[in-house]
Amino acid sequence: MAVRKNQVALSATERRNFVGAILELKRQGSYDEFVTTHNAFIMSDTDEGERTGHRSPSFLPWHRRFLLQFEQALQDIDSSVTLPYWDWTVDRTPNSSLGADDFLGGNGRSGDGRVTTGSFAFDGGKWPINVRVDGRTFLRRSLGDGVSELPTRAEVDDVLAMPTYDAPPWNSESDSFRNYVEGWLGPNLHNRVHVWVGGQMLSGASPNDPVFWLHHCFIDKLWADWQEQHPSAGYVPVDAPPGVIGLRDTMKPWNDVSPQAMLDHTKFYTYR
Ligand code: CU1
Ligand code: CU1
């Protein structure tokens, strides 16, 4: 059984293997397919129309499946690798361990935001930004510029205490755990972290920054924590209105994956 750990708990070897598998997936061309898929959903998910990846109840199961597929692609390269998570309530400064030279690299430089340290720096030659929303071919970050503070543990705990998974109108206006975690209402958890990192993380092509996976892994863990705290509150809606994914509906781009199939993450991995 795969165990997903906090990134601060990874050994130097585990960090090297994780980064190495990502670079190899990039070299093979498959990494950019994940960026393309994610960007397509960001562009098409809307509050009133079809919404599968974002702004909707399936935000959490969609990303759980997306991460699982990415993790399995890494494991095809190195079977020892699992996705680590970034607990940004603790590791919350630009100088945190996440940004070490042997891990994800640090902040972008002033002016153009170009990341110049770590394995994903443009000058290393291994991390061209191919799927992009503008002409810039280098990874960018501007930590803390768009919003100065990452969410706190107290804010996370308040959101975890919310008893209802989701609610009408099943979009960015819903008063619900899913919408508060996603960040359209309340203290803004998930969206705020994208803004705090800045650069490509602000766009639909956010998986261009490998920190995307560690951020979403923590969001996935928060969903698992919520499920444990609210065992009788399941995924809703069971039967959904047009545009929304109900419990047993198929989530694009897959043709055999429903939210129901993603509810129990322990079939695939556990968190430590
Ligand atoms: Cu997303
Ligand atoms: Cu995200």
Side-chain angles (χ1 to χ4, degrees):
M1 172 63 66
V3 178
R4 293 181 176 179
K5 302 179 202 170
N6 190 317
Q7 53 86 21
V8 297
L10 298 187
S11 67
T13 302
E14 288 171 326
R15 283 200 300 272
R16 188 172 62 234
N17 291 344
F18 177 66
V19 169
I22 288 179
L23 291 174
E24 174 60 15
L25 199 64
K26 177 80 166 180
R27 196 192 62 77
Q28 294 174 357
S30 315
Y31 190 98
D32 287 342
E33 292 171 19
F34 286 92
V35 185
T36 300
T37 297
H38 189 266
N39 192 47
F41 277 83
I42 288 269
M43 300 309 282
S44 63
D45 292 325
T46 59
D47 264 347
E48 307 302 329
E50 209 171 288
R51 43 199 189 275
T52 300
H54 309 86
R55 301 172 173 272
S56 59
S58 43
F59 167 72
L60 291 167
W62 190 91
H63 284 83
R64 178 167 281 177
R65 182 62 175 75
F66 189 59
L67 263 64
L68 196 58
Q69 189 168 333
F70 180 71
E71 184 173 55
Q72 285 166 352
L74 296 181
Q75 289 167 345
D76 286 344
I77 292 165
D78 181 342
S79 61
S80 75
V81 169
T82 59
L83 289 184
Y85 61 88
W86 169 31
D87 181 350
W88 26 253
T89 70
V90 175
D91 221 27
R92 54 189 295 111
T93 71
N95 298 320
S96 70
S97 63
L98 190 72
D101 282 356
D102 71 342
F103 203 39
L104 301 192
N107 200 358
R109 67 188 181 189
S110 64
D112 64 2
R114 182 187 298 209
V115 171
T116 58
T117 57
S119 301
F120 307 102
F122 183 75
D123 286 352
K126 294 177 177 171
W127 203 254
I129 303 299
N130 303 315
V131 180
R132 54 184 187 262
V133 292
D134 58 35
R136 290 173 286 186
T137 55
F138 50 90
L139 180 64
R140 290 176 291 120
R141 294 182 186 134
S142 49
L143 307 182
D145 277 4
V147 58
S148 60
E149 295 294 327
L150 288 163
T152 64
R153 187 68 228 181
E155 288 171 328
V156 166
D157 288 340
D158 282 349
V159 173
L160 287 177
M162 296 180 79
T164 305
Y165 177 79
D166 215 338
W170 317 110
N171 60 20
S172 70
E173 293 168 14
S174 295
D175 187 12
S176 66
F177 166 72
R178 184 276 312 164
N179 198 35
Y180 275 51
V181 162
E182 192 173 354
W184 304 109
L185 285 183
N188 184 359
L189 303 185
H190 155 265
N191 289 340
R192 196 198 324 177
V193 176
H194 278 268
V195 175
W196 187 86
V197 175
Q200 276 87 8
M201 279 287 276
L202 291 173
S203 75
S206 46
N208 273 313
D209 191 333
V211 77
F212 172 92
W213 307 104
L214 288 83
H215 170 38
H216 269 276
C217 192
F218 189 56
I219 294 293
D220 187 73
K221 181 180 185 299
L222 294 182
W223 183 26
D225 292 345
W226 181 87
Q227 289 177 301
E228 201 175 335
Q229 287 182 35
H230 305 273
S232 57
Y235 181 97
V236 284
V238 175
D239 299 306
V244 178
I245 300 291
L247 178 64
R248 296 178 196 86
D249 294 340
T250 300
M251 294 189 289
K252 290 180 194 174
W254 307 286
N255 52 31
D256 55 355
V257 182
S258 65
Q260 184 169 46
M262 300 314 299
L263 295 183
D264 179 11
H265 73 284
T266 64
K267 289 187 292 191
F268 310 111
Y269 53 83
T270 56
Y271 282 109
R272 181 189 298 162

Tab-separated table of all heavy atoms in Angstrom, residues 38-39 41-42 45 53-54 59 62-63 66 182 190 194 203-204 206-207 212 216, ligand 1:
chain	number	residue	atom	x	y	z
A	38	HIS	N	-5.485	19.620	-17.323
A	38	HIS	CA	-5.941	20.507	-16.261
A	38	HIS	C	-6.394	21.849	-16.813
A	38	HIS	O	-7.434	22.383	-16.442
A	38	HIS	CB	-4.847	20.720	-15.206
A	38	HIS	CG	-5.346	21.447	-14.001
A	38	HIS	ND1	-5.239	22.816	-13.866
A	38	HIS	CD2	-6.022	21.011	-12.914
A	38	HIS	CE1	-5.809	23.174	-12.732
A	38	HIS	NE2	-6.291	22.106	-12.129
A	39	ASN	N	-5.622	22.398	-17.742
A	39	ASN	CA	-5.971	23.702	-18.310
A	39	ASN	C	-7.312	23.641	-19.048
A	39	ASN	O	-8.121	24.572	-18.959
A	39	ASN	CB	-4.856	24.186	-19.245
A	39	ASN	CG	-5.032	25.646	-19.614
A	39	ASN	OD1	-5.269	26.486	-18.755
A	39	ASN	ND2	-4.955	25.951	-20.905
A	41	PHE	N	-9.874	21.838	-18.350
A	41	PHE	CA	-10.999	21.848	-17.402
A	41	PHE	C	-11.175	23.230	-16.773
A	41	PHE	O	-12.295	23.700	-16.602
A	41	PHE	CB	-10.833	20.732	-16.362
A	41	PHE	CG	-11.331	19.424	-16.892
A	41	PHE	CD1	-10.525	18.627	-17.694
A	41	PHE	CD2	-12.636	19.018	-16.662
A	41	PHE	CE1	-10.992	17.441	-18.235
A	41	PHE	CE2	-13.128	17.833	-17.203
A	41	PHE	CZ	-12.299	17.046	-17.991
A	42	ILE	N	-10.063	23.883	-16.425
A	42	ILE	CA	-10.177	25.243	-15.880
A	42	ILE	C	-10.927	26.143	-16.871
A	42	ILE	O	-11.768	26.951	-16.488
A	42	ILE	CB	-8.784	25.840	-15.580
A	42	ILE	CG1	-8.168	25.169	-14.361
A	42	ILE	CG2	-8.873	27.360	-15.395
A	42	ILE	CD1	-8.458	25.826	-13.029
A	45	ASP	N	-14.849	24.838	-17.020
A	45	ASP	CA	-15.687	24.776	-15.808
A	45	ASP	C	-16.287	26.152	-15.521
A	45	ASP	O	-15.552	27.128	-15.322
A	45	ASP	CB	-14.839	24.358	-14.600
A	45	ASP	CG	-14.355	22.916	-14.673
A	45	ASP	OD1	-15.095	22.071	-15.195
A	45	ASP	OD2	-13.241	22.638	-14.191
A	53	GLY	N	-14.246	19.776	-12.936
A	53	GLY	CA	-12.981	19.816	-12.210
A	53	GLY	C	-12.955	20.838	-11.091
A	53	GLY	O	-12.220	20.678	-10.116
A	54	HIS	N	-13.729	21.898	-11.249
A	54	HIS	CA	-13.678	23.037	-10.327
A	54	HIS	C	-15.069	23.628	-10.156
A	54	HIS	O	-15.967	23.370	-10.950
A	54	HIS	CB	-12.720	24.114	-10.863
A	54	HIS	CG	-11.375	23.551	-11.232
A	54	HIS	ND1	-11.111	23.003	-12.461
A	54	HIS	CD2	-10.232	23.408	-10.505
A	54	HIS	CE1	-9.866	22.557	-12.488
A	54	HIS	NE2	-9.303	22.785	-11.321
A	59	PHE	N	-15.073	18.728	-7.568
A	59	PHE	CA	-13.718	19.274	-7.403
A	59	PHE	C	-12.809	18.292	-6.647
A	59	PHE	O	-11.678	18.024	-7.069
A	59	PHE	CB	-13.796	20.613	-6.650
A	59	PHE	CG	-12.480	21.134	-6.136
A	59	PHE	CD1	-11.522	21.640	-7.001
A	59	PHE	CD2	-12.205	21.142	-4.772
A	59	PHE	CE1	-10.301	22.136	-6.517
A	59	PHE	CE2	-10.997	21.635	-4.282
A	59	PHE	CZ	-10.048	22.130	-5.170
A	62	TRP	N	-12.527	14.699	-8.504
A	62	TRP	CA	-11.839	14.870	-9.793
A	62	TRP	C	-10.332	14.994	-9.568
A	62	TRP	O	-9.531	14.334	-10.218
A	62	TRP	CB	-12.363	16.106	-10.534
A	62	TRP	CG	-11.870	16.200	-11.952
A	62	TRP	CD1	-12.483	15.688	-13.070
A	62	TRP	CD2	-10.650	16.826	-12.414
A	62	TRP	NE1	-11.729	15.956	-14.190
A	62	TRP	CE2	-10.594	16.646	-13.820
A	62	TRP	CE3	-9.612	17.494	-11.778
A	62	TRP	CZ2	-9.546	17.136	-14.600
A	62	TRP	CZ3	-8.548	17.975	-12.550
A	62	TRP	CH2	-8.528	17.794	-13.949
A	63	HIS	N	-9.942	15.852	-8.617
A	63	HIS	CA	-8.512	16.003	-8.354
A	63	HIS	C	-7.925	14.764	-7.682
A	63	HIS	O	-6.753	14.446	-7.895
A	63	HIS	CB	-8.242	17.276	-7.536
A	63	HIS	CG	-8.339	18.533	-8.344
A	63	HIS	ND1	-9.548	19.145	-8.608
A	63	HIS	CD2	-7.404	19.273	-8.997
A	63	HIS	CE1	-9.327	20.213	-9.369
A	63	HIS	NE2	-8.050	20.320	-9.616
A	66	PHE	N	-7.181	12.640	-10.590
A	66	PHE	CA	-6.119	13.266	-11.390
A	66	PHE	C	-4.757	13.030	-10.739
A	66	PHE	O	-3.778	12.656	-11.394
A	66	PHE	CB	-6.437	14.758	-11.515
A	66	PHE	CG	-5.582	15.534	-12.482
A	66	PHE	CD1	-5.532	15.193	-13.823
A	66	PHE	CD2	-4.855	16.633	-12.049
A	66	PHE	CE1	-4.757	15.934	-14.727
A	66	PHE	CE2	-4.084	17.381	-12.935
A	66	PHE	CZ	-4.029	17.021	-14.276
A	182	GLU	N	-12.311	24.646	-1.431
A	182	GLU	CA	-11.865	25.108	-2.752
A	182	GLU	C	-11.480	26.581	-2.671
A	182	GLU	O	-10.530	27.015	-3.336
A	182	GLU	CB	-12.953	24.870	-3.805
A	182	GLU	CG	-12.438	25.060	-5.229
A	182	GLU	CD	-13.436	24.664	-6.311
A	182	GLU	OE1	-14.516	24.115	-5.970
A	182	GLU	OE2	-13.147	24.922	-7.495
A	190	HIS	N	-7.829	26.485	-0.721
A	190	HIS	CA	-7.129	26.031	-1.941
A	190	HIS	C	-6.749	27.167	-2.892
A	190	HIS	O	-5.592	27.267	-3.332
A	190	HIS	CB	-7.990	24.978	-2.651
A	190	HIS	CG	-7.721	24.864	-4.113
A	190	HIS	ND1	-8.463	25.548	-5.051
A	190	HIS	CD2	-6.777	24.192	-4.797
A	190	HIS	CE1	-7.990	25.272	-6.257
A	190	HIS	NE2	-6.978	24.455	-6.145
A	194	HIS	N	-2.745	28.855	-4.389
A	194	HIS	CA	-2.339	29.125	-5.779
A	194	HIS	C	-1.873	30.572	-5.924
A	194	HIS	O	-0.853	30.848	-6.557
A	194	HIS	CB	-3.510	28.880	-6.736
A	194	HIS	CG	-3.712	27.444	-7.114
A	194	HIS	ND1	-3.139	26.863	-8.215
A	194	HIS	CD2	-4.455	26.471	-6.541
A	194	HIS	CE1	-3.504	25.596	-8.310
A	194	HIS	NE2	-4.313	25.326	-7.309
A	203	SER	N	-2.554	30.237	-13.066
A	203	SER	CA	-3.252	29.950	-14.322
A	203	SER	C	-3.805	28.534	-14.356
A	203	SER	O	-3.526	27.718	-13.470
A	203	SER	CB	-2.281	30.133	-15.498
A	203	SER	OG	-1.388	29.024	-15.554
A	204	GLY	N	-4.566	28.244	-15.398
A	204	GLY	CA	-5.061	26.883	-15.593
A	204	GLY	C	-3.939	25.901	-15.868
A	204	GLY	O	-4.081	24.697	-15.671
A	206	SER	N	-1.456	25.507	-14.118
A	206	SER	CA	-0.767	25.453	-12.822
A	206	SER	C	0.066	24.190	-12.600
A	206	SER	O	1.082	24.272	-11.892
A	206	SER	CB	-1.763	25.653	-11.674
A	206	SER	OG	-2.910	24.877	-11.859
A	207	PRO	N	-0.292	23.016	-13.168
A	207	PRO	CA	0.591	21.856	-12.935
A	207	PRO	C	1.984	22.021	-13.550
A	207	PRO	O	2.851	21.185	-13.307
A	207	PRO	CB	-0.160	20.686	-13.585
A	207	PRO	CG	-1.599	21.101	-13.568
A	207	PRO	CD	-1.559	22.594	-13.831
A	212	PHE	N	2.180	22.193	-7.497
A	212	PHE	CA	0.755	21.900	-7.694
A	212	PHE	C	0.380	20.564	-7.050
A	212	PHE	O	-0.633	20.459	-6.354
A	212	PHE	CB	0.437	21.852	-9.201
A	212	PHE	CG	-0.950	21.371	-9.535
A	212	PHE	CD1	-2.007	22.257	-9.683
A	212	PHE	CD2	-1.199	20.009	-9.721
A	212	PHE	CE1	-3.287	21.804	-9.991
A	212	PHE	CE2	-2.473	19.554	-10.033
A	212	PHE	CZ	-3.520	20.454	-10.171
A	216	HIS	N	-2.166	20.017	-3.956
A	216	HIS	CA	-3.411	19.255	-4.100
A	216	HIS	C	-3.411	17.977	-3.281
A	216	HIS	O	-4.471	17.495	-2.879
A	216	HIS	CB	-3.724	18.999	-5.573
A	216	HIS	CG	-4.570	20.089	-6.141
A	216	HIS	ND1	-5.942	20.100	-6.006
A	216	HIS	CD2	-4.237	21.238	-6.751
A	216	HIS	CE1	-6.412	21.206	-6.537
A	216	HIS	NE2	-5.409	21.927	-7.001
B	1	CU1	CU	-7.514	22.110	-10.531
